[in-house]
Amino acid sequence: MAQATIATGSAPAAPAPSSGTERGRSASIVRLLIQRREATVFLVTVAVIVYFSIRNANFYSEANIITMVQYIAPIAVIGAGEVLLLVLAEIDLSAGQTFLTAPWIVYFIHTDGVPIGWSIAIALLCSLAIGAFNGVFTVVFGVPSLVVTLGTNYALAGFVLIASSAVQVDMPGRTGTFGQVFGISNWSEIAWALAIVVVIWVLLKKTRFGVHTTATGGNLLGAAEAGIPVKRVKVWCFMILAFGAAFVGILDGIRIGSLDPAAPGLDVVLSGIVAAVIGGTALTGGRGTVVGTLIGAVFLGVLEDGFNLIGVSANWFILAEGVVILVAMAINVQLGILAERTKR
Amino acid sequence: MTITEDSGPSGAGPKVVDSREIVLQTEGITKRFGAVVVLRGVDMVLGRGEVLGLVGDNGAGKSTFVKILCGFQRQDSGRILVEGEEVQFHTVEDARAKGIETVYQDLALVPQLTVYQNLFLNRELTYGGKLGLMNNRKMRQLTRQYLDEIRVNVPNIDAEVDRLSGGQRQAIAVARATRQEAKILLLDEPLAAMGAKESALIIDLVKDLSQNRGVSIVVIDHNYTHLFELCDRVSVFQQGRVTFDKRVAETSLEELTELMVSDYRRQVMEGQAQLKGA
């Protein structure tokens, strides 16, 4: 069919033909590294793993891997949840405190005589309420979510300190199969965490909700004009993050067995955000990668654990984390500019 | 423009404009934002397959009028009739349900989504219900099919809209608006910031939609040359009213320009008088 065609004033170059030649292949690898942000952090993570495993043979021991995944699990879940918000060009600084507060709610309700299962269910409902509060406050009052969730963060931290009288307690729910499934078993926390991360990935990439989230973050007015309920989308994202954070928080509480009323929630949430950022999610909205965030969380876990293994003080990890954030952000921004150019 | 009742002594038959059946009509639309009166009673008719151009200075009320027609804003008073039946638009979806689609100045495309995702934005096809997984294959297939049908060529429907040229984006936006059997298409400055070649593509697309598919189209544009190429009829907005309404064949660029310039002179003189009075 001979067709008069409209448009294509300046057609962008077609994707590089995979010619199969050596040059074409290496060019397409470079292209992949530029276009897929996850690829960069993946390679760096592999390099770090190789380095630490050479420095210390215990790196691959089961005990060490368990230590690592337990560190990674909360970061991965909170990071993946934050991706939803970063895609919306929002942020939630209270998720770490939600993570810490949820097991306290379980504790308080359980000590009032409610069975552990119901206590957890109620704590999760509370987390949904916290997320809804963050979201509704943000969209109704037009206060930047950074500020709203900072407020929520301190309010929750204060609540825990007051309600606990600042005394450390033992976490309930650690007995029997229940305890094993919900945190005690070595692989329980990471299994749940991966499941949550996969759900968030599916949500963002494979469902209408995900497209609407991207649309809301990418072109707020346009999304609204297309009839997408942008405010509701935002509130849901805050709720999903809060729920995920609370869930792994409860698992973490059950695993560790005691609750510290003074644990700093901002540290937890910032680790998640760092994982998202070094994974290749920008803070400008419209784009985010759950896979990259998961790799970012693994990277942080490997780095923290590796420093420990080779006998470098934890203080160095904090310094390294700072350097990594700066380097990763610089790379992300520069790769973004490069990706723009190679597209045209 | 001549509006006539085309049948029966009772006058109950469909109204026509320039021998076209009237698809969209407004009566006395008013709108104010606080102290600012933007629309002071706008009457308009639009025939089937007709392309109507709206011109006027910035702030004359064209954009507000179009936003009311598409359900994004609500008029303070006045009636909107679609095919002779009064309608109440509370949301964009209400207007869509009546076959009114809009392409906004900001295009309402999401740069980070692909061509086909944009084409199906908020109308995504899924397996199962609203919460089901998306049927990307079907959406891709229908996108290809429809773009072929209206002869819009985009190199890759899996490309993010970010990567398209201005003309391609505009074509995608128009395609999205018309894909759903739109009866009425509202275009807010479709040719803004577009080169001559790309403008020609969009003009062809609009003509094709109106002539071959019977879509009635309202176009806002500042470029009179474009409007004369594109439109069957032109209405001029001045200070919230339609002050001039003629078929393109019965007016000229000179007449339109003269009208706008004289209005501008009058405004300047009024301004000076006010300054003196103050």
Side-chain angles (χ1 to χ4, degrees):
Chain A
M1 174 166 61
Q3 220 167 69
T5 49
I6 297 187
T8 69
S10 56
S18 42
S19 55
T21 67
E22 203 50 45
R23 201 169 155 215
R25 205 173 295 148
S26 65
S28 68
I29 289 172
V30 170
R31 181 178 287 266
L32 181 81
L33 282 178
I34 293 171
Q35 299 280 1
R36 310 248 1 146
R37 307 285 173 80
E38 300 95 340
T40 333
V41 65
F42 179 77
L43 287 184
V44 173
T45 304
V46 170
V48 173
I49 288 174
V50 168
Y51 173 76
F52 284 126
S53 60
I54 291 170
R55 287 290 305 270
N56 191 320
N58 283 333
F59 186 83
Y60 288 129
S61 71
E62 193 184 348
N64 187 50
I65 290 175
I66 288 167
T67 310
M68 253 191 303
V69 296
Q70 283 167 350
Y71 178 85
I72 290 166
I75 300 177
V77 170
I78 293 174
E82 289 286 356
V83 167
L84 294 177
L85 291 176
L86 295 175
V87 166
L88 289 170
E90 304 283 352
I91 200 163
D92 182 348
L93 295 182
S94 70
Q97 193 57 51
T98 306
F99 167 92
L100 294 172
T101 304
W104 277 101
I105 297 175
V106 173
Y107 168 81
F108 292 133
I109 294 174
H110 184 65
T111 47
D112 276 351
V114 178
I116 184 70
W118 285 106
S119 305
I120 290 177
I122 292 169
L124 291 174
L125 282 179
C126 290
S127 73
L128 287 175
I130 293 168
F133 174 84
N134 282 334
V136 170
F137 204 96
T138 300
V139 299
V140 169
F141 293 108
V143 180
S145 49
L146 180 100
V147 179
V148 172
T149 56
L150 203 55
T152 312
N153 172 75
Y154 287 122
L156 290 174
F159 160 77
V160 169
L161 282 168
I162 294 164
S164 68
S165 309
V167 175
Q168 195 160 325
V169 300
D170 289 334
M171 180 71 184
R174 307 190 74 235
T175 49
T177 318
F178 186 91
Q180 289 296 322
V181 171
F182 291 100
I184 304 258
S185 160
N186 284 335
W187 304 100
S188 143
E189 199 177 347
I190 190 71
W192 282 107
L194 287 177
I196 295 171
V197 169
V198 168
V199 167
I200 292 175
W201 178 80
V202 169
L203 212 54
L204 186 59
K205 288 288 164 202
K206 302 287 172 193
T207 69
R208 295 187 72 199
F209 181 79
V211 171
H212 293 182
T213 302
T214 305
T216 302
N219 182 351
L220 181 66
L221 192 59
E225 282 166 349
I228 293 170
V230 290
K231 291 183 176 178
R232 215 180 308 161
V233 167
K234 286 190 176 186
V235 173
W236 272 114
C237 287
F238 279 101
M239 289 170 73
I240 292 164
L241 168 58
F243 184 90
F247 191 78
V248 277
I250 292 166
L251 298 181
D252 217 53
I254 291 175
R255 176 177 67 81
I256 294 167
S258 67
L259 301 177
D260 173 6
L266 281 179
D267 283 4
V268 180
V269 73
L270 289 178
S271 295
I273 293 170
V274 167
V277 165
I278 63 181
T281 297
L283 299 169
T284 44
R287 285 181 209 283
T289 155
V290 173
V291 174
T293 303
L294 181 60
I295 301 170
V298 171
F299 175 79
L300 288 181
V302 169
L303 204 63
E304 215 261 353
D305 179 81
F307 276 5
N308 246 327
L309 273 189
I310 62 175
V312 175
S313 123
N315 299 340
W316 282 96
F317 170 69
I318 297 172
L319 176 66
E321 204 177 11
V323 172
V324 164
I325 293 168
L326 294 175
V327 171
M329 279 315 285
I331 291 175
N332 275 343
V333 170
Q334 292 304 315
L335 279 182
I337 294 167
L338 214 57
E340 273 308 304
R341 282 201 205 124
T342 55
K343 276 172 182 175
R344 305 208 182 269
Chain B
M1 171 186 76
T2 46
I3 304 176
T4 51
E5 312 279 335
D6 83 338
S7 71
S10 64
K15 286 183 175 176
V16 295
V17 53
D18 298 335
S19 75
R20 295 173 195 265
E21 181 195 341
I22 291 181
V23 177
L24 177 67
Q25 185 170 5
T26 70
E27 291 173 356
I29 300 285
T30 66
K31 178 78 184 175
R32 60 191 301 162
F33 295 104
V36 183
V37 182
V38 182
L39 299 176
R40 302 164 190 270
V42 178
D43 302 325
M44 183 209 71
V45 290
L46 180 66
R48 188 172 307 283
E50 185 179 33
V51 184
L52 170 66
L54 303 184
V55 291
D57 293 331
N58 291 327
K62 302 161 310 210
S63 283
T64 304
F65 181 63
V66 166
K67 280 185 174 144
I68 288 169
L69 289 182
C70 70
F72 198 63
Q73 277 165 1
R74 197 158 156 70
Q75 73 269 30
D76 295 334
S77 67
R79 306 201 302 157
I80 303 174
L81 298 97
V82 175
E83 296 181 320
E85 187 189 321
E86 187 171 352
V87 289
Q88 305 288 338
F89 295 155
H90 297 281
T91 65
V92 176
E93 292 299 323
D94 291 345
R96 276 194 179 153
K98 297 288 177 190
I100 300 182
E101 289 284 346
T102 318
V103 177
Y104 297 93
Q105 214 167 338
D106 55 43
L107 295 182
L109 296 180
V110 181
Q112 294 89 347
L113 291 177
T114 65
V115 169
Y116 80 86
Q117 283 174 324
N118 268 287
L119 210 64
F120 280 85
L121 189 62
N122 202 25
R123 291 207 182 84
E124 296 85 0
L125 305 178
T126 57
Y127 300 105
K130 250 169 73 176
L131 293 173
L133 299 185
M134 285 183 295
N135 190 343
N136 288 316
R137 183 199 283 190
K138 184 90 182 162
M139 286 193 276
R140 281 197 188 95
Q141 182 205 328
L142 290 176
T143 297
R144 236 174 253 126
Q145 199 178 315
Y146 184 64
L147 291 184
D148 277 355
E149 209 174 299
I150 59 172
R151 283 176 282 157
V152 169
N153 179 27
V154 172
N156 179 6
I157 60 165
D158 288 314
E160 288 178 6
V161 164
D162 226 4
R163 298 165 67 170
L164 303 186
S165 70
Q168 289 171 335
R169 288 189 208 194
Q170 188 68 51
I172 298 301
V174 171
R176 178 170 88 193
T178 53
R179 192 180 61 81
Q180 296 279 321
E181 305 287 309
K183 278 184 284 198
I184 298 156
L185 181 62
L186 310 174
L187 300 176
D188 193 355
E189 300 202 31
L191 306 176
M194 218 170 277
K197 191 177 166 192
E198 301 215 302
S199 293
L201 303 169
I202 299 301
I203 288 172
D204 287 349
L205 177 57
V206 167
K207 288 200 159 168
D208 179 63
L209 289 169
S210 63
Q211 285 163 13
N212 302 331
R213 298 180 150 246
V215 180
S216 310
I217 300 174
V218 177
V219 184
I220 294 181
D221 208 299
H222 286 292
N223 185 323
Y224 299 157
T225 318
H226 285 154
L227 283 173
F228 271 77
E229 253 184 277
L230 203 58
C231 300
D232 301 309
R233 189 157 55 87
V234 182
S235 293
V236 176
F237 270 66
Q238 284 174 331
Q239 287 151 25
R241 276 197 197 87
V242 174
T243 54
F244 174 95
D245 185 293
K246 271 192 184 173
R247 290 171 67 171
V248 163
E250 290 162 3
T251 182
S252 63
L253 259 174
E254 289 71 31
E255 187 182 11
L256 212 54
T257 313
E258 178 54 33
L259 183 76
M260 301 305 291
V261 170
S262 67
D263 181 58
Y264 172 73
R265 287 209 190 99
R266 189 181 49 72
Q267 281 182 35
V268 170
M269 270 151 67
E270 275 174 12
Q272 282 170 346
Q274 270 178 14
L275 279 178
K276 273 179 195 157

